[in-house]
């Protein structure tokens, strides 16, 4: 009987304030207090906690374990100043490691998934800035590593958002909006870097493409969260929702065009200038290449067809299905893009394995016309 | 996940003491449901429960501005004490009749995804126990809410109500008996 009554009492734990009130009230409260609120820097925290320890735990400092704790606090405090110095460090420098460690520490100390996701996005933005700097300096090996770090941060943000969606759906929409907005800016920045790298014909471009794909995936996932939430309550208005979905749809359409162009370029004979000199694209002269090209073309066509369906769904205000279609289109498009990347890797391997005189000879044979490209590539292949 | 009395909470309280809005926001998110539940069973309507819950957090911010929040003291206890005093003031100032909250309002519950029939059974059970809880005298009511619903330990409750642990144990035992007897 007693156990039963306790179980019944425990069921009252589900009593909660209304979600709409919770959000509105939080906003009102934060607005009310903001005039007196202050921005707190790391240094101020350090001195504050040191003061607190001395004030309240002075008698304990004599004890060994507390002494060690205070020592650690002082070391961490020292760390605060080092971190502040490291905040502007660039990849490859010693202080950059300090910067990464401080980021990991901040992430580990973050209170909840929402904070962790926001930190992930913030760190991804830093990585994008660093990538831009590295592209200008032609430091492409380090650039690849930083691009991998960016992908990890974005993936983690995506995972944290999923957790927030489950544990705290009320805040998930705001977080999803923030992630969606920031991934759009992030994509733009990476796209600019990609263009800089394309001019120099760098192989690092494929890494940037991978990073852009991760960013797009996270943005699309965040949009999915926004749309799902809009279906349940009215936290997002229709106009905003429509704009967000349309923007994602346009990005996918642009990507389809880009991949179509890449397929035509990479699987056709031709040549272009790159950082390693004149590069020769081999024509699809074997069965495997022809098959791969056909498959890639079929996939871009399929992605294109799905995106048209998404457009129609968007016109009918069926946002959820439109987002599902965009996601499906992106997935198919990624398979086509993967085939292009694979081919580029094969071509660069072949170019490296060819000896310089053979390439030179091939270039001599090429002349100006495209007709001779096929015979030129055969010479290289031999 | 934040825990009451944890180092993370102390860091947040430290930041709150320094008038950090973000820390206030985190503490609000963590304690809102608990404080709301605590007040909910003591007032006559949802809107009053909402109003007093907001006032509790605003009062906490005022205490932070006045430098009256101490990092080495339990923040949870402070919150409940503030909420409790606000409820007392609310009854003193308005001469309201206690615990007349309607059952429709009392079962404003975050719906589970469970099957509808099952959810309906749970709702009825909750209505019954909620009604019985509201019939108890204030002292019993708050001790049951704090211990069985908001999951506070005897030590934490003793700290909030400023009583000895033995006293809390005895009161809790009596409160449970009164709840069983309430019709």
């Amino acid at each position: 009987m007693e156990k039963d009554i306790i179980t019944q009492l425990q069921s009252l734990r589900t009593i909660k304030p209304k979600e709409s009130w919770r959000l509105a009230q939080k906003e009102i409260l934060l607005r009310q207090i903001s005039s007196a609120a202050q921005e707190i820097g790391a240094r101020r925290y350090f001195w504050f906690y040191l003061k607190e320890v001395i004030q309240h735990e002075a008698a304990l400092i004599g004890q060994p374990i507390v002494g060690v704790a205070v020592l650690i606090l002082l070391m961490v405090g020292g760390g605060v100043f080092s971190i502040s110095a490291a905040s502007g460090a660039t990849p490859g420098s010693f202080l950059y490691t300090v910067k990464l460690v401080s980021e990991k520490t901040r992430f580990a100390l973050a209170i909840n998934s929402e904070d962790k996701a926001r930190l992930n996005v913030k760190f991804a933005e830093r990585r994008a800035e660093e990538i831009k700097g590295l592209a200008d300096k032609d430091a492409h090996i380090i650039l690849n590593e930083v691009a991998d770090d960016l992908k990890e941060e974005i993936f983690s943000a995506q995972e944290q958002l999923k957790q927030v969606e489950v544990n705290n759906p009320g805040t998930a929409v705001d977080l999803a909006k923030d992630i969606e907005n920031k991934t759009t800016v992030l994509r733009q920045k990476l796209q600019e870097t990609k263009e800089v790298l394309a001019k120099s014909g760098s192989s690092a471009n494929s890494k940037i493409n991978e990073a852009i794909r991760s960013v797009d995936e996270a943005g699309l996932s965040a949009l999915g969260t926004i749309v799902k939430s809009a279906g349940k309550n009215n936290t997002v208005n229709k106009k905003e929702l429509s704009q967000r979905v349309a923007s994602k749809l346009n990005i996918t359409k642009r990507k389809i065009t880009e991949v179509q162009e890449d397929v035509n370029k990479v699987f056709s004979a031709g040549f272009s200038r790159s950082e390693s000199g004149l590069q020769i694209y081999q024509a699809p002269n074997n069965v495997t290449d022809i098959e791969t090209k056909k498959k890639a073309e079929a996939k871009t066509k399929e992605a294109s067809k799905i995106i048209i369906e998404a457009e129609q769904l968007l016109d009918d205000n069926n946002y959820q299905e439109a987002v599902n279609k965009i996601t499906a289109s992106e997935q198919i498009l990624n398979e086509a893009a993967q085939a292009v990347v694979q081919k580029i890797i094969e071509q660069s391997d072949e170019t490296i394995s060819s000896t310089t005189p053979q390439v030179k000879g091939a270039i001599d044979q090429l002349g100006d016309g495209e007709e001779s490209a096929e015979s030129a590539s055969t010479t290289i292949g031999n | 996940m934040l825990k009451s009395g944890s180092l993370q909470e102390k860091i947040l309280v430290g930041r709150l003491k320094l008038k950090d809005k973000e820390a206030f926001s985190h503490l609000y998110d963590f304690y809102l449901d608990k404080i709301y539940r605590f007040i909910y069973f003591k007032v006559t309507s949802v809107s009053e429960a909402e109003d007093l819950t907001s006032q509790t957090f605003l009062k906490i911010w005022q205490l932070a501005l006045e430098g009256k929040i101490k990092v080495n003291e339990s923040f949870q206890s402070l919150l409940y004490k503030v909420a409790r005093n606000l409820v007392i003031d609310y009854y003193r100032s308005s001469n309201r009749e206690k615990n007349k909250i309607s059952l429709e309002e009392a079962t404003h519950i975050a719906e589970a995804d469970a099957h509808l029939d099952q959810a309906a059974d749970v709702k009825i059970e909750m209505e019954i126990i909620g009604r019985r809880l509201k019939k108890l005298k204030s002292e019993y009511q708050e001790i049951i809410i704090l211990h069985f619903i908001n999951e506070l330990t005897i030590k934490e409750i003793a700290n909030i109500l400023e009583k000895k642990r033995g006293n809390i144990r005895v009161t809790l035992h009596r409160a449970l008996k009164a709840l069983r007897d309430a019709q």
Side-chain angles (χ1 to χ4, degrees):
Chain A
M1 174 69 184
E2 184 155 312
K3 198 177 174 185
D4 193 38
I5 213 161
I6 290 168
T7 316
Q8 285 177 31
L9 281 170
Q10 284 168 348
S11 70
L12 296 176
R13 282 177 198 162
T14 52
I15 289 178
K16 286 175 184 175
K18 286 177 217 152
E19 199 53 42
S20 54
W21 176 82
R22 174 201 292 269
L23 293 173
Q25 199 54 38
K26 187 176 175 184
E27 210 181 311
I28 292 167
L29 272 174
L30 291 179
R31 214 178 301 140
Q32 278 179 321
I33 68 168
S34 58
S35 59
Q38 288 179 5
E39 287 284 327
I40 315 293
R43 285 176 192 220
R44 201 164 160 216
Y45 278 137
F46 172 69
W47 293 118
F48 170 76
Y49 286 113
L50 192 64
K51 201 178 109 194
E52 282 291 319
V53 168
I54 293 166
Q55 233 172 31
H56 301 291
E57 322 291 348
L60 293 171
I61 291 176
Q63 293 178 17
I65 192 156
V66 182
V68 171
V70 171
L71 197 66
I72 291 169
L73 186 71
L74 286 169
M75 283 163 71
V76 172
V80 168
F81 302 119
S82 319
I83 289 159
S84 138
S87 59
T90 51
S93 68
F94 169 72
L95 277 179
Y96 186 69
T97 316
V98 177
K99 183 178 173 179
L100 290 185
V101 169
S102 87
E103 286 180 359
K104 300 273 177 224
T105 314
R106 274 188 75 184
F107 184 79
L109 287 174
I111 308 290
N112 51 34
S113 297
E114 191 190 339
D115 282 359
K116 283 182 194 274
R118 288 190 198 281
L119 281 176
N120 282 138
V121 176
K122 189 177 177 182
F123 298 153
E125 285 171 336
R126 285 185 189 172
R127 298 297 89 84
E129 273 300 323
E130 289 159 7
I131 288 171
K132 196 167 175 266
L134 290 166
D136 293 337
K137 287 180 197 164
D138 281 349
H140 298 161
I141 295 170
I142 304 173
L143 189 150
N144 285 348
E145 288 171 17
V146 180
D148 281 337
D149 288 346
L150 187 148
K151 273 165 58 190
E152 271 178 36
E153 296 291 356
I154 282 296
F155 180 72
S156 174
Q158 208 178 329
E159 291 299 301
Q160 300 295 341
L161 175 62
K162 281 178 192 163
Q163 282 190 27
V164 175
E165 214 179 330
V166 174
N167 301 328
N168 200 354
T171 56
V173 187
D174 283 342
L175 178 64
K177 279 185 190 175
D178 205 19
I179 292 180
E180 214 258 304
N181 294 341
K182 286 185 173 165
T183 47
T184 308
V185 178
L186 208 52
R187 175 180 220 282
Q188 184 61 36
K189 200 169 275 179
L190 289 170
Q191 191 68 33
E192 284 165 14
T193 309
K194 191 182 150 185
E195 279 156 22
V196 171
L197 287 168
K199 279 177 198 161
S200 64
S202 166
S203 59
N205 232 341
S206 62
K207 272 281 173 207
I208 302 293
N209 274 333
E210 283 177 28
I212 291 176
R213 273 204 294 278
S214 303
V215 168
D216 285 346
E217 208 180 305
L220 206 50
S221 170
L223 181 64
T225 306
I226 299 168
V227 170
K228 226 183 285 170
S229 165
K232 288 178 189 166
N233 47 52
N234 290 324
T235 45
V236 191
N237 66 48
K238 270 192 174 181
K239 194 183 168 193
E240 186 191 344
L241 209 56
S242 190
Q243 278 172 351
R244 283 182 186 274
V245 179
S247 160
K248 278 279 172 291
L249 200 141
N250 288 333
I251 288 174
T252 310
K253 274 165 84 176
R254 274 205 301 274
K255 276 165 80 179
I256 292 172
T257 315
E258 278 171 23
V259 175
Q260 270 166 346
E261 284 170 6
D262 283 347
V263 170
N264 289 334
K265 195 168 84 179
V266 172
F267 286 98
S268 306
F271 60 93
S272 72
R273 192 163 290 281
S274 76
E275 65 175 352
S276 53
L278 204 59
Q279 275 195 349
I280 296 153
Y281 296 123
Q282 204 172 357
N285 57 354
N286 60 54
V287 181
T288 323
D289 272 1
I290 292 165
E291 278 299 306
T292 314
K293 188 189 176 193
K294 274 184 186 168
K295 275 184 192 168
E297 281 171 343
K299 284 197 188 299
T300 49
K301 270 182 195 162
E302 201 185 337
S304 191
K305 196 181 144 201
I306 295 172
I307 214 69
I308 291 166
E309 289 171 11
E311 257 177 326
Q312 282 162 355
L313 287 162
L314 179 61
D315 288 343
D316 298 339
N317 293 337
N318 190 346
Y319 304 113
Q320 183 66 64
E321 275 307 308
V323 171
N324 290 346
K325 290 282 178 192
I326 297 170
T327 310
S329 176
E330 286 267 347
Q331 278 167 356
I332 293 165
L333 196 63
N334 282 346
E335 289 171 28
Q338 202 54 47
V340 173
V341 170
Q342 192 58 41
K343 183 65 190 166
I344 291 171
I345 292 166
E346 279 171 23
Q347 280 175 347
S348 59
D349 284 351
E350 281 165 16
T351 311
I352 291 164
S353 65
S354 305
T355 56
T356 315
Q358 277 175 318
V359 175
K360 270 193 169 177
I363 293 165
D364 291 339
Q365 284 180 40
L366 257 174
D368 292 323
E370 265 189 33
E371 303 88 348
S372 41
E374 197 172 328
S375 61
S377 60
T378 316
T379 313
I380 292 169
N382 294 338
Chain B
M1 183 71 181
L2 190 65
K3 279 183 184 164
S4 297
S6 65
L7 180 65
Q8 276 186 336
E9 191 196 73
K10 283 198 187 300
I11 290 171
L12 280 179
V13 175
R15 285 169 58 183
L16 176 66
K17 204 177 164 180
L18 293 172
K19 297 161 203 164
D20 182 354
K21 197 167 114 176
E22 208 184 309
F24 176 82
S25 166
H26 285 306
L27 291 164
Y28 173 87
D29 285 338
F30 182 65
Y31 281 109
L32 181 73
D33 290 351
K34 291 179 177 187
I35 294 300
Y36 177 82
R37 271 196 294 269
F38 178 70
I39 296 172
Y40 187 81
F41 289 99
K42 292 168 159 282
V43 293
T44 55
S45 71
V46 167
S47 60
E48 280 162 350
E50 288 175 348
D51 196 27
L52 287 173
T53 306
S54 296
Q55 282 185 42
T56 304
F57 285 95
L58 211 52
K59 180 79 187 164
I60 287 293
W61 179 254
Q62 277 170 6
L63 291 175
L65 293 184
E66 289 163 14
K68 288 180 181 167
I69 289 180
K70 289 172 184 165
V71 180
N72 61 334
E73 285 177 10
S74 166
F75 180 72
Q76 180 177 244
S77 292
L78 178 71
L79 253 176
Y80 279 111
K81 278 179 191 171
V82 168
R84 201 165 169 257
N85 288 337
L86 282 170
V87 173
I88 292 168
D89 289 347
Y90 160 80
Y91 282 112
R92 266 190 203 144
S93 64
S94 58
N95 271 336
R96 284 178 176 89
E97 206 180 338
K98 287 183 186 180
N99 305 332
K100 288 285 180 191
I101 195 163
S102 80
L103 278 170
E104 273 306 303
E105 284 182 299
T107 48
H108 158 63
I109 295 152
E111 290 287 353
D113 288 335
H115 192 270
L116 277 176
D117 289 347
Q118 216 179 334
D121 286 347
V122 173
K123 205 168 174 177
I124 291 166
E125 255 187 23
M126 284 170 68
E127 278 198 43
I128 295 166
I129 194 75
R131 195 181 293 154
R132 283 159 76 181
L133 185 62
K134 281 177 173 293
K135 282 182 181 171
L136 298 184
K137 63 175 179 175
S138 181
E139 186 191 9
Y140 289 170
Q141 220 182 54
E142 64 188 12
I143 214 161
I144 283 180
I145 298 166
L146 289 173
H147 190 63
F148 293 110
I149 304 175
N150 280 1
E151 300 172 89
L152 268 67
T153 62
I154 300 287
K155 189 183 168 188
E156 286 168 331
I157 299 171
N159 193 5
I160 293 164
L161 302 179
E162 292 170 355
K163 287 181 178 172
K164 287 182 180 170
R165 280 185 234 180
N167 195 321
I168 297 294
R169 274 193 203 96
V170 172
T171 313
L172 192 61
H173 179 74
R174 286 178 186 160
L176 265 183
K177 190 177 179 299
L179 185 67
R180 270 198 302 273
D181 296 343
Q183 290 300 316

